[in-house]
Amino acid sequence: MILTIHAGGNLAGAGVYVNGKRLKFKKEKTAGGTAPQYVASAETDGAVALSVIKRSPLSFKHWFGKAFLLWLFGIFGLFTPRYKKRYKTLCYNLNAEISSDAEIFLRIVAQNGRTYVNATQQFAPAPPVSVGADFAYEEEGNVWTDDPVAKKHRKYYHIFNAVFWILLILGGAAVAALLLLN
Amino acid sequence: MDNNQSYERDETIARTGKLLGNLALAVSVCSVLPAFFVLTASVLSAIYVIFYFVFFFLAIVFTFGIILINNSFAGGPEAFLGGLESFFEAVSGVLPVYMPVTGAVAAVLAAGAIIIGVKMRGTENSKGVVGKGIASVVLAVIAIIMTLVVLASGGGAA
């Protein structure tokens, strides 16, 4: 059976997995002016375990070793990709059983995303993942979880980078001054 | 390996790809610049001569500027062009070594960036990585062509 997954919204940094395999989304052709949609498909024997993960790299295991190596090879941070202010984690799981080819629509909302609630005509915090499917499913973890570790680590990283550059500039100035004096 | 571990691995590889793309672009720009300078030296010289006479004329009109202009442009355009020529001769002298080394480094980095960019398509950090890799390869090819032109013209310029 083939499960086709249509996704939209803020997919940046989100890993979508079906039965343990990461999906590779392709852009769908949509009418001009509409938000881009992405599509992927997964083969399944009926059981569907879908996960959406979004985390900061600064809360990964061995974060400092990885960040330091990238910083070093990026010529002391000059060419290293920047770390975004992502202090919330998403670990969403959906379980379902399908009996034939099916489609599922996911919409991933950005951190602190707010959506329009029709009943009250007010904006309210949106759930991270909105799902549309024509089969029954169970979901869990559809909330942003605060990630204070990523915030702390980002601060450490920036302090480390700033201290290194200050020391480098001071050292360079000291060497230049010594050379000039001699 | 659970989904979280897989996510960590994928994002780390994608960040490495992005770093390689940034480095490839930087190195390829460095590889093309000297050849670009040498080739545009003739144009720069022509612009300099024009500016020299413009400033000379302004200096006559505004006598206040004569000392400044005289100090800045001491020796006249011939001296400046002579200096420029020797500089570009020195640059074109190192090009046969500099260009292949930087070009090869850029090519390796670009190849790594393109491979990772294609493999990790869909991750946040893979965005633009393939484009950077291809741009680096294009710049490296331009550098090779420019270097060949410079060498064929015997150092070119000035």
Side-chain angles (χ1 to χ4, degrees):
Chain A
M1 279 161 277
I2 303 288
L3 176 70
T4 308
I5 300 102
H6 301 269
N10 193 328
L11 270 173
V16 183
Y17 297 83
V18 171
N19 298 338
K21 280 189 181 173
R22 186 169 187 146
L23 299 179
K24 288 192 174 178
F25 283 98
K26 285 183 179 169
K27 217 171 189 174
E28 266 185 310
K29 281 183 183 172
T30 50
T34 54
Q37 288 284 323
Y38 300 86
V39 66
S41 59
E43 207 162 321
T44 170
D45 56 357
V48 175
L50 185 145
S51 300
V52 181
I53 301 172
K54 209 166 180 177
R55 285 171 57 199
S56 166
L58 291 169
S59 61
F60 288 176
K61 205 175 171 185
H62 309 306
W63 74 274
F64 187 76
K66 291 170 185 171
F68 180 74
L69 282 177
L70 289 178
W71 176 85
L72 196 66
F73 288 112
I75 312 180
F76 311 124
L78 279 180
F79 298 103
T80 309
R82 300 280 173 261
Y83 290 101
K84 291 184 177 169
K85 285 183 180 177
R86 184 177 293 149
Y87 306 137
K88 289 194 177 183
T89 293
L90 173 65
C91 202
Y92 171 80
N93 291 305
L94 179 147
N95 293 302
E97 197 74 42
I98 55 172
S99 51
S100 60
D101 289 357
E103 282 188 312
I104 187 167
F105 294 83
L106 300 176
R107 188 168 182 279
I108 301 168
V109 179
Q111 276 179 34
N112 304 321
R114 296 172 84 78
T115 192
Y116 198 60
V117 180
N118 286 330
T120 55
Q121 299 290 298
Q122 284 177 332
F123 281 103
V129 184
S130 304
V131 182
D134 53 2
F135 53 85
Y137 59 86
E138 283 176 14
E139 55 181 358
E140 60 174 26
N142 199 2
V143 285
W144 290 111
T145 315
D146 283 332
D147 190 357
V149 174
K151 192 174 185 176
K152 193 170 70 181
H153 288 173
R154 190 169 183 271
K155 197 164 76 179
Y156 291 162
Y157 177 80
H158 283 292
I159 289 171
F160 170 78
N161 193 32
V163 167
F164 172 83
W165 279 102
I166 289 167
L167 288 177
L168 189 75
I169 291 164
L170 288 178
V175 170
L178 281 173
L179 286 174
L180 282 174
L181 287 174
N182 289 333
Chain B
M1 186 185 285
D2 71 8
N3 291 342
N4 261 310
Q5 286 172 318
S6 172
Y7 178 80
E8 286 190 10
R9 189 202 58 194
D10 292 349
E11 289 299 321
T12 306
I13 294 172
R15 281 187 79 78
T16 310
K18 194 168 188 177
L19 169 67
L20 287 179
N22 292 348
L23 284 174
L25 202 57
V27 174
S28 60
V29 167
C30 288
S31 80
V32 80
L33 275 181
F36 180 78
F37 282 150
V38 174
L39 277 184
T40 52
S42 311
V43 181
L44 288 175
S45 311
I47 290 169
Y48 173 79
V49 172
I50 293 165
F51 270 95
Y52 181 87
F53 286 111
V54 169
F55 277 103
F56 189 71
F57 173 75
L58 286 176
I60 292 167
V61 176
F62 305 100
T63 47
F64 175 75
I66 286 178
I67 297 165
L68 177 74
I69 297 297
N70 275 345
N71 285 344
S72 306
F73 291 77
E78 293 80 12
F80 176 81
L81 292 179
L84 202 64
E85 191 172 9
S86 59
F87 170 72
F88 285 118
E89 271 174 9
V91 171
S92 54
V94 296
L95 271 182
V97 178
Y98 176 86
M99 217 305 295
V101 171
T102 51
V105 172
V108 170
L109 292 170
I114 291 170
I115 290 166
I116 292 177
V118 170
K119 196 168 180 282
M120 291 290 121
R121 193 183 297 157
T123 55
E124 183 177 23
N125 287 300
S126 68
K127 273 184 189 171
V129 170
V130 176
K132 278 181 189 170
I134 292 169
S136 310
V137 172
V138 170
L139 281 174
V141 170
I142 291 172
I144 291 167
I145 294 168
M146 280 180 143
T147 307
L148 291 176
V149 170
V150 169
L151 294 176
S153 64

